[in-house]
Amino acid sequence: MTKYNVHIYREMKLYFPGIEAESPQAAADLAAKMDTADADDIVSCDGIDLAALVDVDGDDNFEQSVTIAFEPQRMLDAAPRLLAALSEIVRVYAEYPDETARQIAESAIAEATGKEAA
């Protein structure tokens, strides 16, 4: 049986007190750019597992390393494509309020999901 070294990328809670900013959004943006080590508190909050980097033990060149995206990460990756498809559907229905709109919308959905249109 092969031994693996696994790095899990998991959600966690970081606490950065006293950030001065023009707005809550600006404070959040500043905190998001800060290094994890600069947090006053790091809490493992049993967060969502997003992905794993799996290395074969002893493979010092990491030639056999594999990144595995878990379902939450796959959903995050799909979100921009789905949003683009929905935007296209809204645009098409506004421009072509008939059977053509349905066909164009189905094509957009098929492209976003990687499935053939009906």
Side-chain angles (χ1 to χ4, degrees), residues 34-84:
M34 296 175 77
D35 192 277
T36 302
D38 293 336
D40 271 19
D41 193 19
I42 301 170
V43 179
S44 174
C45 56
D46 294 324
I48 298 167
D49 292 337
L50 299 171
L53 172 61
V54 182
D55 303 320
V56 174
D57 191 31
D59 178 15
D60 296 333
N61 293 324
F62 305 106
E63 293 172 352
Q64 300 176 66
S65 296
V66 177
T67 300
I68 298 169
F70 298 127
E71 185 63 20
Q73 184 63 51
R74 289 192 294 269
M75 290 170 49
L76 288 170
D77 291 343
R81 293 189 311 273
L82 292 173
L83 182 57

mmCIF file of all heavy atoms in Angstrom, residues 34-84:
data_model
loop_
_atom_site.group_PDB
_atom_site.id
_atom_site.type_symbol
_atom_site.label_atom_id
_atom_site.label_comp_id
_atom_site.label_asym_id
_atom_site.label_seq_id
_atom_site.Cartn_x
_atom_site.Cartn_y
_atom_site.Cartn_z
ATOM 1 N N MET A 34 -4.067 40.191 4.493
ATOM 2 C CA MET A 34 -3.086 40.010 5.570
ATOM 3 C C MET A 34 -2.652 38.548 5.664
ATOM 4 O O MET A 34 -3.397 37.633 5.326
ATOM 5 C CB MET A 34 -3.672 40.494 6.896
ATOM 6 C CG MET A 34 -3.973 41.995 6.891
ATOM 7 S SD MET A 34 -4.786 42.567 8.382
ATOM 8 C CE MET A 34 -3.385 42.619 9.496
ATOM 9 N N ASP A 35 -1.447 38.364 6.127
ATOM 10 C CA ASP A 35 -0.882 37.025 6.298
ATOM 11 C C ASP A 35 -1.564 36.313 7.466
ATOM 12 O O ASP A 35 -1.873 36.935 8.489
ATOM 13 C CB ASP A 35 0.622 37.147 6.565
ATOM 14 C CG ASP A 35 1.318 35.816 6.458
ATOM 15 O OD1 ASP A 35 1.293 35.059 7.461
ATOM 16 O OD2 ASP A 35 1.866 35.525 5.391
ATOM 17 N N THR A 36 -1.779 35.043 7.317
ATOM 18 C CA THR A 36 -2.408 34.246 8.375
ATOM 19 C C THR A 36 -1.661 34.388 9.699
ATOM 20 O O THR A 36 -2.263 34.487 10.760
ATOM 21 C CB THR A 36 -2.465 32.762 7.961
ATOM 22 O OG1 THR A 36 -3.197 32.660 6.743
ATOM 23 C CG2 THR A 36 -3.137 31.905 9.021
ATOM 24 N N ALA A 37 -0.334 34.434 9.638
ATOM 25 C CA ALA A 37 0.476 34.534 10.855
ATOM 26 C C ALA A 37 0.252 35.845 11.597
ATOM 27 O O ALA A 37 0.559 35.951 12.781
ATOM 28 C CB ALA A 37 1.951 34.377 10.499
ATOM 29 N N ASP A 38 -0.285 36.865 10.921
ATOM 30 C CA ASP A 38 -0.550 38.158 11.554
ATOM 31 C C ASP A 38 -1.866 38.178 12.328
ATOM 32 O O ASP A 38 -2.160 39.152 13.015
ATOM 33 C CB ASP A 38 -0.555 39.272 10.503
ATOM 34 C CG ASP A 38 0.815 39.492 9.887
ATOM 35 O OD1 ASP A 38 1.827 39.149 10.541
ATOM 36 O OD2 ASP A 38 0.868 39.991 8.752
ATOM 37 N N ALA A 39 -2.652 37.127 12.238
ATOM 38 C CA ALA A 39 -3.923 37.075 12.955
ATOM 39 C C ALA A 39 -3.678 36.951 14.450
ATOM 40 O O ALA A 39 -2.745 36.274 14.883
ATOM 41 C CB ALA A 39 -4.755 35.895 12.468
ATOM 42 N N ASP A 40 -4.510 37.630 15.246
ATOM 43 C CA ASP A 40 -4.410 37.498 16.698
ATOM 44 C C ASP A 40 -4.913 36.138 17.160
ATOM 45 O O ASP A 40 -4.518 35.643 18.200
ATOM 46 C CB ASP A 40 -5.227 38.590 17.398
ATOM 47 C CG ASP A 40 -4.412 39.845 17.642
ATOM 48 O OD1 ASP A 40 -3.370 40.023 16.984
ATOM 49 O OD2 ASP A 40 -4.834 40.658 18.483
ATOM 50 N N ASP A 41 -5.818 35.555 16.383
ATOM 51 C CA ASP A 41 -6.387 34.264 16.756
ATOM 52 C C ASP A 41 -6.708 33.489 15.486
ATOM 53 O O ASP A 41 -7.210 34.055 14.512
ATOM 54 C CB ASP A 41 -7.658 34.475 17.584
ATOM 55 C CG ASP A 41 -8.128 33.206 18.279
ATOM 56 O OD1 ASP A 41 -7.318 32.268 18.437
ATOM 57 O OD2 ASP A 41 -9.312 33.150 18.663
ATOM 58 N N ILE A 42 -6.371 32.221 15.504
ATOM 59 C CA ILE A 42 -6.699 31.322 14.403
ATOM 60 C C ILE A 42 -7.535 30.203 14.993
ATOM 61 O O ILE A 42 -7.096 29.508 15.904
ATOM 62 C CB ILE A 42 -5.429 30.739 13.746
ATOM 63 C CG1 ILE A 42 -4.542 31.869 13.222
ATOM 64 C CG2 ILE A 42 -5.797 29.764 12.635
ATOM 65 C CD1 ILE A 42 -3.171 31.403 12.771
ATOM 66 N N VAL A 43 -8.750 30.074 14.498
ATOM 67 C CA VAL A 43 -9.669 29.085 15.051
ATOM 68 C C VAL A 43 -10.037 28.077 13.975
ATOM 69 O O VAL A 43 -10.512 28.435 12.910
ATOM 70 C CB VAL A 43 -10.963 29.764 15.580
ATOM 71 C CG1 VAL A 43 -11.925 28.730 16.122
ATOM 72 C CG2 VAL A 43 -10.620 30.804 16.625
ATOM 73 N N SER A 44 -9.792 26.818 14.269
ATOM 74 C CA SER A 44 -10.286 25.768 13.394
ATOM 75 C C SER A 44 -11.760 25.613 13.705
ATOM 76 O O SER A 44 -12.133 25.212 14.798
ATOM 77 C CB SER A 44 -9.547 24.457 13.662
ATOM 78 O OG SER A 44 -10.120 23.423 12.910
ATOM 79 N N CYS A 45 -12.592 25.998 12.756
ATOM 80 C CA CYS A 45 -14.032 26.020 13.036
ATOM 81 C C CYS A 45 -14.742 24.874 12.335
ATOM 82 O O CYS A 45 -15.892 24.999 11.942
ATOM 83 C CB CYS A 45 -14.622 27.359 12.625
ATOM 84 S SG CYS A 45 -14.350 27.807 10.904
ATOM 85 N N ASP A 46 -14.036 23.741 12.200
ATOM 86 C CA ASP A 46 -14.612 22.612 11.487
ATOM 87 C C ASP A 46 -15.203 23.086 10.172
ATOM 88 O O ASP A 46 -16.327 22.748 9.803
ATOM 89 C CB ASP A 46 -15.668 21.882 12.327
ATOM 90 C CG ASP A 46 -15.057 21.220 13.546
ATOM 91 O OD1 ASP A 46 -13.915 20.734 13.435
ATOM 92 O OD2 ASP A 46 -15.699 21.195 14.604
ATOM 93 N N GLY A 47 -14.418 23.907 9.494
ATOM 94 C CA GLY A 47 -14.877 24.494 8.242
ATOM 95 C C GLY A 47 -14.957 23.486 7.124
ATOM 96 O O GLY A 47 -14.631 22.309 7.267
ATOM 97 N N ILE A 48 -15.366 23.977 6.001
ATOM 98 C CA ILE A 48 -15.547 23.158 4.811
ATOM 99 C C ILE A 48 -14.192 22.755 4.250
ATOM 100 O O ILE A 48 -13.287 23.577 4.144
ATOM 101 C CB ILE A 48 -16.338 23.948 3.757
ATOM 102 C CG1 ILE A 48 -17.735 24.291 4.279
ATOM 103 C CG2 ILE A 48 -16.421 23.203 2.448
ATOM 104 C CD1 ILE A 48 -18.455 25.317 3.428
ATOM 105 N N ASP A 49 -14.036 21.492 3.898
ATOM 106 C CA ASP A 49 -12.835 21.041 3.203
ATOM 107 C C ASP A 49 -12.999 21.380 1.730
ATOM 108 O O ASP A 49 -13.933 20.918 1.079
ATOM 109 C CB ASP A 49 -12.642 19.524 3.367
ATOM 110 C CG ASP A 49 -12.299 19.140 4.793
ATOM 111 O OD1 ASP A 49 -11.791 19.997 5.537
ATOM 112 O OD2 ASP A 49 -12.521 17.974 5.154
ATOM 113 N N LEU A 50 -12.097 22.219 1.211
ATOM 114 C CA LEU A 50 -12.202 22.671 -0.170
ATOM 115 C C LEU A 50 -11.422 21.787 -1.129
ATOM 116 O O LEU A 50 -11.909 21.438 -2.199
ATOM 117 C CB LEU A 50 -11.722 24.116 -0.273
ATOM 118 C CG LEU A 50 -12.526 25.121 0.556
ATOM 119 C CD1 LEU A 50 -11.847 26.476 0.558
ATOM 120 C CD2 LEU A 50 -13.940 25.221 0.026
ATOM 121 N N ALA A 51 -10.192 21.442 -0.754
ATOM 122 C CA ALA A 51 -9.351 20.676 -1.676
ATOM 123 C C ALA A 51 -8.256 19.979 -0.892
ATOM 124 O O ALA A 51 -8.049 20.244 0.292
ATOM 125 C CB ALA A 51 -8.742 21.601 -2.730
ATOM 126 N N ALA A 52 -7.553 19.103 -1.580
ATOM 127 C CA ALA A 52 -6.410 18.413 -0.985
ATOM 128 C C ALA A 52 -5.282 18.364 -2.008
ATOM 129 O O ALA A 52 -5.529 18.193 -3.205
ATOM 130 C CB ALA A 52 -6.786 16.999 -0.569
ATOM 131 N N LEU A 53 -4.077 18.530 -1.521
ATOM 132 C CA LEU A 53 -2.888 18.298 -2.332
ATOM 133 C C LEU A 53 -2.288 17.013 -1.792
ATOM 134 O O LEU A 53 -1.967 16.919 -0.604
ATOM 135 C CB LEU A 53 -1.893 19.458 -2.197
ATOM 136 C CG LEU A 53 -0.537 19.256 -2.849
ATOM 137 C CD1 LEU A 53 -0.681 19.042 -4.351
ATOM 138 C CD2 LEU A 53 0.382 20.425 -2.559
ATOM 139 N N VAL A 54 -2.179 16.002 -2.640
ATOM 140 C CA VAL A 54 -1.724 14.682 -2.213
ATOM 141 C C VAL A 54 -0.400 14.380 -2.890
ATOM 142 O O VAL A 54 -0.304 14.355 -4.121
ATOM 143 C CB VAL A 54 -2.771 13.594 -2.556
ATOM 144 C CG1 VAL A 54 -2.301 12.243 -2.051
ATOM 145 C CG2 VAL A 54 -4.132 13.953 -1.978
ATOM 146 N N ASP A 55 0.633 14.180 -2.063
ATOM 147 C CA ASP A 55 1.969 13.835 -2.548
ATOM 148 C C ASP A 55 2.259 12.386 -2.187
ATOM 149 O O ASP A 55 1.868 11.922 -1.120
ATOM 150 C CB ASP A 55 3.040 14.702 -1.873
ATOM 151 C CG ASP A 55 2.823 16.189 -2.043
ATOM 152 O OD1 ASP A 55 2.434 16.597 -3.142
ATOM 153 O OD2 ASP A 55 3.060 16.932 -1.071
ATOM 154 N N VAL A 56 2.953 11.696 -3.068
ATOM 155 C CA VAL A 56 3.412 10.347 -2.748
ATOM 156 C C VAL A 56 4.619 10.491 -1.829
ATOM 157 O O VAL A 56 5.555 11.234 -2.126
ATOM 158 C CB VAL A 56 3.777 9.557 -4.018
ATOM 159 C CG1 VAL A 56 4.395 8.215 -3.662
ATOM 160 C CG2 VAL A 56 2.550 9.367 -4.887
ATOM 161 N N ASP A 57 4.586 9.806 -0.700
ATOM 162 C CA ASP A 57 5.684 9.858 0.256
ATOM 163 C C ASP A 57 6.977 9.417 -0.428
ATOM 164 O O ASP A 57 7.020 8.368 -1.067
ATOM 165 C CB ASP A 57 5.366 8.947 1.451
ATOM 166 C CG ASP A 57 6.328 9.139 2.609
ATOM 167 O OD1 ASP A 57 6.819 10.262 2.788
ATOM 168 O OD2 ASP A 57 6.579 8.154 3.328
ATOM 169 N N GLY A 58 8.004 10.244 -0.341
ATOM 170 C CA GLY A 58 9.292 9.908 -0.952
ATOM 171 C C GLY A 58 9.482 10.489 -2.342
ATOM 172 O O GLY A 58 10.586 10.465 -2.882
ATOM 173 N N ASP A 59 8.440 11.005 -2.962
ATOM 174 C CA ASP A 59 8.540 11.628 -4.286
ATOM 175 C C ASP A 59 8.993 13.071 -4.081
ATOM 176 O O ASP A 59 8.191 13.996 -4.069
ATOM 177 C CB ASP A 59 7.199 11.571 -5.018
ATOM 178 C CG ASP A 59 7.228 12.248 -6.381
ATOM 179 O OD1 ASP A 59 8.325 12.509 -6.900
ATOM 180 O OD2 ASP A 59 6.145 12.521 -6.921
ATOM 181 N N ASP A 60 10.301 13.264 -3.915
ATOM 182 C CA ASP A 60 10.854 14.577 -3.591
ATOM 183 C C ASP A 60 10.728 15.583 -4.725
ATOM 184 O O ASP A 60 10.843 16.793 -4.502
ATOM 185 C CB ASP A 60 12.313 14.440 -3.167
ATOM 186 C CG ASP A 60 12.456 13.623 -1.889
ATOM 187 O OD1 ASP A 60 11.500 13.600 -1.082
ATOM 188 O OD2 ASP A 60 13.519 12.998 -1.697
ATOM 189 N N ASN A 61 10.492 15.140 -5.938
ATOM 190 C CA ASN A 61 10.287 16.042 -7.076
ATOM 191 C C ASN A 61 8.811 16.344 -7.308
ATOM 192 O O ASN A 61 8.470 17.081 -8.229
ATOM 193 C CB ASN A 61 10.903 15.459 -8.350
ATOM 194 C CG ASN A 61 12.408 15.387 -8.268
ATOM 195 O OD1 ASN A 61 13.038 16.264 -7.683
ATOM 196 N ND2 ASN A 61 12.988 14.346 -8.836
ATOM 197 N N PHE A 62 7.951 15.746 -6.514
ATOM 198 C CA PHE A 62 6.498 15.962 -6.567
ATOM 199 C C PHE A 62 5.916 15.686 -7.953
ATOM 200 O O PHE A 62 4.945 16.303 -8.371
ATOM 201 C CB PHE A 62 6.140 17.382 -6.101
ATOM 202 C CG PHE A 62 6.690 17.699 -4.740
ATOM 203 C CD1 PHE A 62 7.781 18.541 -4.593
ATOM 204 C CD2 PHE A 62 6.140 17.123 -3.612
ATOM 205 C CE1 PHE A 62 8.305 18.818 -3.345
ATOM 206 C CE2 PHE A 62 6.656 17.392 -2.358
ATOM 207 C CZ PHE A 62 7.752 18.248 -2.220
ATOM 208 N N GLU A 63 6.512 14.730 -8.665
ATOM 209 C CA GLU A 63 6.040 14.380 -10.002
ATOM 210 C C GLU A 63 4.712 13.632 -9.978
ATOM 211 O O GLU A 63 3.998 13.606 -10.974
ATOM 212 C CB GLU A 63 7.100 13.546 -10.729
ATOM 213 C CG GLU A 63 8.358 14.344 -11.028
ATOM 214 C CD GLU A 63 9.496 13.497 -11.585
ATOM 215 O OE1 GLU A 63 9.370 12.254 -11.597
ATOM 216 O OE2 GLU A 63 10.497 14.092 -11.998
ATOM 217 N N GLN A 64 4.388 13.017 -8.843
ATOM 218 C CA GLN A 64 3.147 12.249 -8.742
ATOM 219 C C GLN A 64 2.085 12.977 -7.911
ATOM 220 O O GLN A 64 1.060 12.397 -7.574
ATOM 221 C CB GLN A 64 3.440 10.879 -8.128
ATOM 222 C CG GLN A 64 4.416 10.049 -8.956
ATOM 223 C CD GLN A 64 4.748 8.742 -8.268
ATOM 224 O OE1 GLN A 64 3.880 7.893 -8.119
ATOM 225 N NE2 GLN A 64 5.989 8.602 -7.835
ATOM 226 N N SER A 65 2.349 14.232 -7.584
ATOM 227 C CA SER A 65 1.412 14.998 -6.766
ATOM 228 C C SER A 65 0.110 15.238 -7.527
ATOM 229 O O SER A 65 0.112 15.441 -8.737
ATOM 230 C CB SER A 65 2.029 16.338 -6.365
ATOM 231 O OG SER A 65 3.163 16.124 -5.553
ATOM 232 N N VAL A 66 -0.979 15.222 -6.788
ATOM 233 C CA VAL A 66 -2.307 15.407 -7.377
ATOM 234 C C VAL A 66 -3.087 16.380 -6.495
ATOM 235 O O VAL A 66 -3.067 16.269 -5.274
ATOM 236 C CB VAL A 66 -3.067 14.061 -7.437
ATOM 237 C CG1 VAL A 66 -4.472 14.260 -7.968
ATOM 238 C CG2 VAL A 66 -2.318 13.048 -8.260
ATOM 239 N N THR A 67 -3.772 17.327 -7.130
ATOM 240 C CA THR A 67 -4.687 18.206 -6.405
ATOM 241 C C THR A 67 -6.099 17.699 -6.650
ATOM 242 O O THR A 67 -6.496 17.464 -7.786
ATOM 243 C CB THR A 67 -4.559 19.659 -6.885
ATOM 244 O OG1 THR A 67 -3.221 20.094 -6.661
ATOM 245 C CG2 THR A 67 -5.510 20.560 -6.125
ATOM 246 N N ILE A 68 -6.829 17.517 -5.565
ATOM 247 C CA ILE A 68 -8.193 17.002 -5.645
ATOM 248 C C ILE A 68 -9.130 18.067 -5.091
ATOM 249 O O ILE A 68 -9.000 18.476 -3.938
ATOM 250 C CB ILE A 68 -8.333 15.696 -4.843
ATOM 251 C CG1 ILE A 68 -7.416 14.635 -5.443
ATOM 252 C CG2 ILE A 68 -9.780 15.232 -4.801
ATOM 253 C CD1 ILE A 68 -7.254 13.403 -4.602
ATOM 254 N N ALA A 69 -10.059 18.533 -5.920
ATOM 255 C CA ALA A 69 -11.066 19.501 -5.479
ATOM 256 C C ALA A 69 -12.265 18.733 -4.931
ATOM 257 O O ALA A 69 -12.793 17.854 -5.595
ATOM 258 C CB ALA A 69 -11.489 20.396 -6.634
ATOM 259 N N PHE A 70 -12.666 19.086 -3.704
ATOM 260 C CA PHE A 70 -13.860 18.493 -3.130
ATOM 261 C C PHE A 70 -15.088 19.242 -3.652
ATOM 262 O O PHE A 70 -14.972 20.297 -4.266
ATOM 263 C CB PHE A 70 -13.804 18.531 -1.602
ATOM 264 C CG PHE A 70 -12.650 17.743 -1.023
ATOM 265 C CD1 PHE A 70 -11.768 18.336 -0.137
ATOM 266 C CD2 PHE A 70 -12.449 16.415 -1.359
ATOM 267 C CE1 PHE A 70 -10.714 17.619 0.400
ATOM 268 C CE2 PHE A 70 -11.400 15.685 -0.827
ATOM 269 C CZ PHE A 70 -10.524 16.295 0.059
ATOM 270 N N GLU A 71 -16.267 18.715 -3.403
ATOM 271 C CA GLU A 71 -17.501 19.281 -3.953
ATOM 272 C C GLU A 71 -17.663 20.784 -3.694
ATOM 273 O O GLU A 71 -18.015 21.518 -4.607
ATOM 274 C CB GLU A 71 -18.725 18.505 -3.444
ATOM 275 C CG GLU A 71 -20.027 18.943 -4.060
ATOM 276 C CD GLU A 71 -20.112 18.723 -5.569
ATOM 277 O OE1 GLU A 71 -19.341 17.908 -6.121
ATOM 278 O OE2 GLU A 71 -20.951 19.372 -6.208
ATOM 279 N N PRO A 72 -17.399 21.294 -2.482
ATOM 280 C CA PRO A 72 -17.547 22.745 -2.287
ATOM 281 C C PRO A 72 -16.650 23.562 -3.222
ATOM 282 O O PRO A 72 -17.059 24.597 -3.730
ATOM 283 C CB PRO A 72 -17.166 22.952 -0.821
ATOM 284 C CG PRO A 72 -17.471 21.644 -0.176
ATOM 285 C CD PRO A 72 -17.115 20.604 -1.219
ATOM 286 N N GLN A 73 -15.434 23.101 -3.476
ATOM 287 C CA GLN A 73 -14.537 23.811 -4.389
ATOM 288 C C GLN A 73 -15.029 23.705 -5.826
ATOM 289 O O GLN A 73 -14.963 24.668 -6.588
ATOM 290 C CB GLN A 73 -13.111 23.271 -4.282
ATOM 291 C CG GLN A 73 -12.119 24.039 -5.144
ATOM 292 C CD GLN A 73 -11.981 25.495 -4.715
ATOM 293 O OE1 GLN A 73 -11.755 25.776 -3.554
ATOM 294 N NE2 GLN A 73 -12.135 26.419 -5.646
ATOM 295 N N ARG A 74 -15.534 22.541 -6.196
ATOM 296 C CA ARG A 74 -16.079 22.394 -7.555
ATOM 297 C C ARG A 74 -17.258 23.342 -7.761
ATOM 298 O O ARG A 74 -17.416 23.933 -8.833
ATOM 299 C CB ARG A 74 -16.475 20.945 -7.820
ATOM 300 C CG ARG A 74 -15.270 20.011 -7.965
ATOM 301 C CD ARG A 74 -15.642 18.653 -8.512
ATOM 302 N NE ARG A 74 -16.481 17.881 -7.631
ATOM 303 C CZ ARG A 74 -16.042 17.029 -6.703
ATOM 304 N NH1 ARG A 74 -14.752 16.835 -6.545
ATOM 305 N NH2 ARG A 74 -16.884 16.353 -5.958
ATOM 306 N N MET A 75 -18.073 23.513 -6.723
ATOM 307 C CA MET A 75 -19.197 24.442 -6.818
ATOM 308 C C MET A 75 -18.693 25.878 -6.952
ATOM 309 O O MET A 75 -19.224 26.657 -7.746
ATOM 310 C CB MET A 75 -20.112 24.284 -5.600
ATOM 311 C CG MET A 75 -20.879 22.969 -5.612
ATOM 312 S SD MET A 75 -21.770 22.574 -4.087
ATOM 313 C CE MET A 75 -22.643 24.046 -3.725
ATOM 314 N N LEU A 76 -17.663 26.241 -6.194
ATOM 315 C CA LEU A 76 -17.084 27.577 -6.308
ATOM 316 C C LEU A 76 -16.499 27.802 -7.702
ATOM 317 O O LEU A 76 -16.639 28.882 -8.277
ATOM 318 C CB LEU A 76 -15.988 27.777 -5.254
ATOM 319 C CG LEU A 76 -16.452 27.933 -3.810
ATOM 320 C CD1 LEU A 76 -15.263 27.876 -2.859
ATOM 321 C CD2 LEU A 76 -17.220 29.231 -3.636
ATOM 322 N N ASP A 77 -15.856 26.784 -8.246
ATOM 323 C CA ASP A 77 -15.277 26.894 -9.583
ATOM 324 C C ASP A 77 -16.357 27.040 -10.656
ATOM 325 O O ASP A 77 -16.157 27.716 -11.660
ATOM 326 C CB ASP A 77 -14.408 25.668 -9.900
ATOM 327 C CG ASP A 77 -13.140 25.609 -9.059
ATOM 328 O OD1 ASP A 77 -12.748 26.634 -8.465
ATOM 329 O OD2 ASP A 77 -12.535 24.516 -8.993
ATOM 330 N N ALA A 78 -17.492 26.396 -10.442
ATOM 331 C CA ALA A 78 -18.576 26.428 -11.433
ATOM 332 C C ALA A 78 -19.377 27.730 -11.381
ATOM 333 O O ALA A 78 -20.001 28.111 -12.374
ATOM 334 C CB ALA A 78 -19.519 25.243 -11.219
ATOM 335 N N ALA A 79 -19.352 28.414 -10.262
ATOM 336 C CA ALA A 79 -20.196 29.602 -10.072
ATOM 337 C C ALA A 79 -20.033 30.661 -11.162
ATOM 338 O O ALA A 79 -21.041 31.152 -11.682
ATOM 339 C CB ALA A 79 -19.961 30.203 -8.691
ATOM 340 N N PRO A 80 -18.824 31.037 -11.567
ATOM 341 C CA PRO A 80 -18.719 32.061 -12.618
ATOM 342 C C PRO A 80 -19.333 31.621 -13.947
ATOM 343 O O PRO A 80 -19.972 32.424 -14.641
ATOM 344 C CB PRO A 80 -17.216 32.287 -12.770
ATOM 345 C CG PRO A 80 -16.612 31.821 -11.499
ATOM 346 C CD PRO A 80 -17.503 30.703 -11.017
ATOM 347 N N ARG A 81 -19.172 30.351 -14.305
ATOM 348 C CA ARG A 81 -19.751 29.855 -15.565
ATOM 349 C C ARG A 81 -21.278 29.841 -15.481
ATOM 350 O O ARG A 81 -21.961 30.201 -16.447
ATOM 351 C CB ARG A 81 -19.213 28.460 -15.881
ATOM 352 C CG ARG A 81 -17.728 28.449 -16.201
ATOM 353 C CD ARG A 81 -17.250 27.102 -16.737
ATOM 354 N NE ARG A 81 -17.656 25.953 -15.961
ATOM 355 C CZ ARG A 81 -16.996 25.451 -14.914
ATOM 356 N NH1 ARG A 81 -15.869 26.002 -14.519
ATOM 357 N NH2 ARG A 81 -17.446 24.387 -14.288
ATOM 358 N N LEU A 82 -21.807 29.445 -14.346
ATOM 359 C CA LEU A 82 -23.260 29.431 -14.182
ATOM 360 C C LEU A 82 -23.832 30.840 -14.178
ATOM 361 O O LEU A 82 -24.889 31.091 -14.770
ATOM 362 C CB LEU A 82 -23.639 28.687 -12.902
ATOM 363 C CG LEU A 82 -23.347 27.184 -12.934
ATOM 364 C CD1 LEU A 82 -23.584 26.566 -11.557
ATOM 365 C CD2 LEU A 82 -24.199 26.493 -13.978
ATOM 366 N N LEU A 83 -23.138 31.775 -13.538
ATOM 367 C CA LEU A 83 -23.586 33.160 -13.543
ATOM 368 C C LEU A 83 -23.575 33.721 -14.967
ATOM 369 O O LEU A 83 -24.523 34.402 -15.375
ATOM 370 C CB LEU A 83 -22.703 34.016 -12.634
ATOM 371 C CG LEU A 83 -23.093 35.486 -12.513
ATOM 372 C CD1 LEU A 83 -24.521 35.642 -12.018
ATOM 373 C CD2 LEU A 83 -22.133 36.204 -11.595
ATOM 374 N N ALA A 84 -22.540 33.399 -15.731
ATOM 375 C CA ALA A 84 -22.475 33.853 -17.124
ATOM 376 C C ALA A 84 -23.630 33.264 -17.933
ATOM 377 O O ALA A 84 -24.252 33.960 -18.744
ATOM 378 C CB ALA A 84 -21.132 33.466 -17.750
#
